[in-house]
Amino acid sequence: MIKRIVDFFGDEAHARRRLRLFYLVLVLIVLADFVVPREHAEYLWERLPGWSAVYGFVSCVLLIFVSKFLGHQGGLMRREDYYD
Amino acid sequence: MIEFVHPALLFILGALPIPFLQGAIRKAYLLSIPVLAILAVLAMQPGSYGAAQFIGQDILIAKVDKLSIVFATVFTLMALIGMVYALHLTEAGQHVAAFVYVGSALGVVFAGDYLTLYLFWEGMAFASAYLVFAQGGEKAIRAAFRYLMVHVTGGVVLLGGIVLHGLASGSFLFGPIGVGMGPGTYLILAGFLLNAAVPPLNAWLTDAYPEATVTGAVFMSAFTTKTAVYVLARAYPGTELLVWLGTAMALYGVVYAVLENDCRRLLAYHIVSQVGYMVAGVGIGTELAVNGATSHAFAHILYKALLFMGAGAVIYVTGRRKLTELGGLYRTMPITVALYMIGAFAISAFPFFSGFVTKSMVVAAAGEDHRALVMLALTMASSGTFLHTGLKLPYYMFFGTDRGLEAREPPGNMLVAMAMAATLCVAIGLFPRPLYALLPYPVDFEPYTGVHLTESLGVLMFTALGFVMFLKALDPENTISIDTDWFYRKGARAFMWFAERPLARYEKAVSDMSETAALPLLHGSARAGLRVDLNGVDAVVNGVAHAILDGGGVLRRLQTGVVTHYALAMIAGLIAAIAVFAVVWR
């Protein structure tokens, strides 16, 4: 059973189904965010449905590119023999 | 019914017979001690044990309350899981070190005074350093030495703080510092922050953990930083500085994780990030926040150990640790993949996994305390956590480009240990109440609300969307990243350069100078002195001596002993005297 699940996520043969399932989940999450009750919202963004999706995506993109920028342009990444 | 058996004693004394046991008996023994320790913690009653006097100070070997019990519970559980994972090892050294390490961590957790705490603190440093030394090879030994140096330095800072604090407050008992922050309390804080791997004092962790043995790293990921979280929660709750340090380190670890190529170093950066949540929680200091920090430490020990066990299994089987050299292992290691992913979901705070019910407490506490910025930063760090431990690392390690590596599932004991940790990660996520009941303050927090579920899933799954879209940008690169260990690694090199070049040259110049100029001069003057001595002084002395000797000879000849000669001489003398008188006195 475990092998079949792991294969579903690894095997190229399932790539299309995997991607479709993934987009379906994304849509469902955003839809669900519109219908859940929000009585304790303290901050402005907590009242906006779909906010977490936008924030998650923006965070991810920011982290990737800011880090890589620091690594390449900021000089954090060095050759492996840097300390030798 | 015995009220209190110190679990530290079980482990430290229990380490002694290990080298003398063999085979199945040793394996049974290795598992029985952690089991006994778990029972000892379960049977424990709150109170103070082992009060004594030492050099005129109050000593309290063990102080048991809810905060120490919750840490002791997870420490002993983790000791059992770690031992199962390490059961296949044949050499006794690592087992002994692991036992002393766990025992020392438990000693710190129960320490009622600073002197006891300090003793166990140092015990942890030395025992854990052995787990890096045991890996062998030049890189590991160098990293272990740096690790030891950093921790010994931190220990000295801590001891200095303890002495100053003790002198200022008149007591060495370990408890909340309160408002009176002085030089002593800041030094103690610095010592604690070093072990919590708070930047810029974090590099020892990411430097040493990837070099440790496969099984040693599992123990290391669990104890040192979490003991530091415990002492911070005990002594410094509500310290404003910690909120900002914790928030910064949550993001710091995530940023470095993007750049990492070594699988265990990537996980080590996520320890920095996750401990950031705990440090921030301690800093916020409300009941909810301290509960959050404590429960997150509990959950973190289990899922992080699971992640390190998964990465360790890959290293054990393939002998490779760089993401650029791994890939395609999912076909041969499906069980490892599945168990690793449970840890990944737990650290990413997916619903129904342990991180979800603990991390969200810290974030909610930040929200309740009106710290919007902290809340947003911690949420962003959550996104980064899933991006790396949940997506990037497994993708490049298990999926991605198939490099045709020969692999198989790791030994059974490793899988069992991973399964134990995975079970706990899921169990805590599904049934958080037993964990909440262990926490220091009463818990009035419901993680499973509709909006919390959709928000968490929104952040996480849209992070996954970012991952899918920008996969190419995340490709691991064959590099290392510069962290604050640069300062002491390059600093040591500069020191050695200074010692070898200017200092050694100066020394050589001085010795050359004395050899070429000063010494011949001294030799010459010594020779000249000798010559003066021989030819001058000796000649004078010898001459005088000869003259006296000769004079003596002449006198001897004059003394003939014949009376007529003397009479003749007297007459001659008389005549001479008269002649003189006659001439002079005329």
Side-chain angles (χ1 to χ4, degrees), chain A residues 3 7 10-11 29-30 33 38 42-43 52-53 55 60 63 67-68 72 76-78 80 82-83, chain B residues 258-259 322 330-331 367 370 376 384 399 454-455 461-463 473 477-482 486 489 493:
Chain A
K3 191 161 173 51
D7 272 345
D11 212 328
I29 288 170
V30 176
D33 209 25
R38 301 168 186 273
E42 196 176 337
Y43 300 98
S52 63
Y55 190 67
C60 171
L63 283 171
S67 307
K68 287 281 180 180
H72 290 293
L76 291 181
M77 286 165 108
R78 293 297 168 103
E80 282 188 324
Y82 176 70
Y83 283 118
Chain B
V258 181
L259 311 176
K322 289 195 236 162
Y330 75 97
R331 287 179 211 279
H370 309 290
L376 285 175
F399 303 104
T454 54
E455 273 194 353
M461 292 313 288
F462 279 83
T463 298
E477 295 168 70
N478 218 354
T479 56
I480 58 168
S481 314
I482 294 180
W486 185 88
R489 293 176 82 156
R493 193 156 296 179

Side-chain angles (χ1 to χ4, degrees), chain B residues 17-107:
Chain B
I18 295 174
F20 307 104
L21 301 174
Q22 290 292 332
I25 299 173
R26 182 200 268 178
K27 287 183 180 174
Y29 178 78
L30 287 174
L31 297 182
S32 67
I33 296 288
V35 171
L36 280 178
I38 292 171
L39 293 176
V41 174
L42 288 178
M44 223 170 249
Q45 299 298 320
S48 298
Y49 303 92
Q53 283 264 322
F54 176 68
I55 51 170
Q57 294 299 329
D58 287 324
I59 295 288
L60 187 55
I61 304 295
K63 188 168 158 233
V64 181
D65 61 6
K66 288 199 87 171
L67 185 63
S68 47
I69 287 179
V70 64
F71 274 89
T73 308
V74 68
F75 279 6
T76 45
L77 273 174
M78 186 56 229
L80 179 63
I81 294 173
M83 267 301 139
V84 172
Y85 189 72
L87 216 51
H88 62 280
L89 289 183
T90 48
E91 68 261 43
Q94 284 196 57
H95 291 312
V96 173
F99 265 43
V100 175
Y101 184 24
V102 176
S104 304
L106 285 162

Side-chain angles (χ1 to χ4, degrees), chain B residues 547-562:
Chain B
I548 292 172
L549 216 58
D550 292 350
V554 171
L555 277 176
R556 192 158 53 88
R557 241 176 280 138
L558 284 179
Q559 285 179 313
T560 56
V562 179

Side-chain angles (χ1 to χ4, degrees), chain A residues 2-14 18-19 21-23 25-43 45-48 50-72 74-84, chain B residues 251 254-256 258-261 322 330-335 337-338 366-373 375-381 383-385 387-388 392 399 450-451 454-470 473-483 485-487 489-490 493:
Chain A
I2 290 175
K3 191 161 173 51
R4 279 183 56 194
I5 296 174
V6 173
D7 272 345
F8 175 75
F9 285 100
D11 212 328
E12 270 308 301
H14 305 294
R18 221 163 40 214
L19 216 55
L21 187 72
F22 177 58
Y23 290 135
V25 167
L26 292 184
V27 172
L28 285 179
I29 288 170
V30 176
L31 288 181
D33 209 25
F34 276 88
V35 295
V36 287
R38 301 168 186 273
E39 57 268 16
H40 295 302
E42 196 176 337
Y43 300 98
W45 62 78
E46 287 179 318
R47 279 181 235 126
L48 301 172
W51 169 83
S52 63
V54 175
Y55 190 67
F57 184 75
V58 170
S59 296
C60 171
V61 173
L62 267 180
L63 283 171
I64 294 174
F65 290 100
V66 170
S67 307
K68 287 281 180 180
F69 177 80
L70 289 174
H72 290 293
L76 291 181
M77 286 165 108
R78 293 297 168 103
R79 285 156 52 100
E80 282 188 324
D81 56 2
Y82 176 70
Y83 283 118
D84 297 335
Chain B
L251 285 170
V254 170
V255 166
Y256 267 95
V258 181
L259 311 176
E260 237 357 284
N261 188 27
K322 289 195 236 162
Y330 75 97
R331 287 179 211 279
T332 41
M333 307 177 77
I335 300 174
V337 175
E368 261 187 21
D369 208 38
H370 309 290
R371 295 172 185 275
L373 200 62
M375 204 180 167
L376 285 175
L378 292 181
T379 310
M380 181 178 275
S383 155
T385 304
L387 177 64
H388 302 121
K392 174 185 162 181
F399 303 104
V451 66
T454 54
E455 273 194 353
S456 306
L457 284 173
V459 169
L460 293 172
M461 292 313 288
F462 279 83
T463 298
L465 179 66
F467 173 78
V468 172
M469 286 171 68
F470 299 105
L474 272 172
D475 273 352
E477 295 168 70
N478 218 354
T479 56
I480 58 168
S481 314
I482 294 180
D483 201 340
D485 54 342
W486 185 88
F487 289 98
R489 293 176 82 156
K490 287 289 178 186
R493 193 156 296 179

Side-chain angles (χ1 to χ4, degrees), chain B residues 180-403:
Chain B
M181 294 287 278
T185 51
Y186 276 111
L187 283 179
I188 295 175
L189 183 62
F192 289 172
L193 290 181
L194 185 132
N195 268 28
V198 176
L201 308 174
N202 67 302
W204 59 266
L205 190 155
T206 47
D207 181 21
Y209 285 19
E211 304 298 338
T213 62
V214 163
T215 54
V218 174
F219 282 98
M220 296 180 84
S221 73
F223 292 100
T224 301
T225 47
K226 260 57 76 186
T227 325
V229 170
Y230 163 80
V231 291
L232 286 173
R234 167 80 66 201
Y236 295 91
T239 307
E240 185 66 20
L241 176 68
L242 295 182
V243 181
W244 300 106
L245 284 176
T247 309
M249 79 193 265
L251 285 170
Y252 186 92
V254 170
V255 166
Y256 267 95
V258 181
L259 311 176
E260 237 357 284
N261 188 27
D262 182 308
C263 61
R264 285 194 297 176
R265 199 183 294 272
L266 190 155
L267 292 176
Y269 272 114
H270 274 285
I271 299 181
V272 175
S273 175
Q274 295 299 303
V275 172
Y277 286 86
M278 301 167 213
V279 172
V282 170
I284 293 167
T286 59
E287 290 194 355
L288 181 63
V290 173
N291 273 345
T294 310
S295 62
H296 197 45
F298 194 105
H300 177 90
I301 287 173
L302 298 167
Y303 64 62
K304 185 54 80 177
L306 176 53
L307 296 171
F308 263 91
M309 289 192 278
V314 169
I315 294 171
Y316 180 84
V317 170
T318 64
R320 300 178 181 206
R321 49 195 254 191
K322 289 195 236 162
L323 295 182
T324 41
E325 296 175 358
L326 288 164
L329 295 172
Y330 75 97
R331 287 179 211 279
T332 41
M333 307 177 77
I335 300 174
T336 309
V337 175
L339 292 170
Y340 173 91
M341 285 315 295
I342 291 178
F345 288 136
I347 193 176
S348 313
F350 256 87
F352 312 115
F353 293 90
S354 60
F356 184 74
V357 302
T358 59
K359 194 189 277 184
S360 56
M361 264 175 138
V362 180
V363 180
E368 261 187 21
D369 208 38
H370 309 290
R371 295 172 185 275
L373 200 62
V374 174
M375 204 180 167
L376 285 175
L378 292 181
T379 310
M380 181 178 275
S382 299
S383 155
T385 304
F386 181 51
L387 177 64
H388 302 121
T389 43
L391 296 167
K392 174 185 162 181
L393 187 65
Y395 179 79
Y396 289 104
M397 194 155 72
F398 297 119
F399 303 104
T401 321
D402 194 336
R403 308 209 185 253

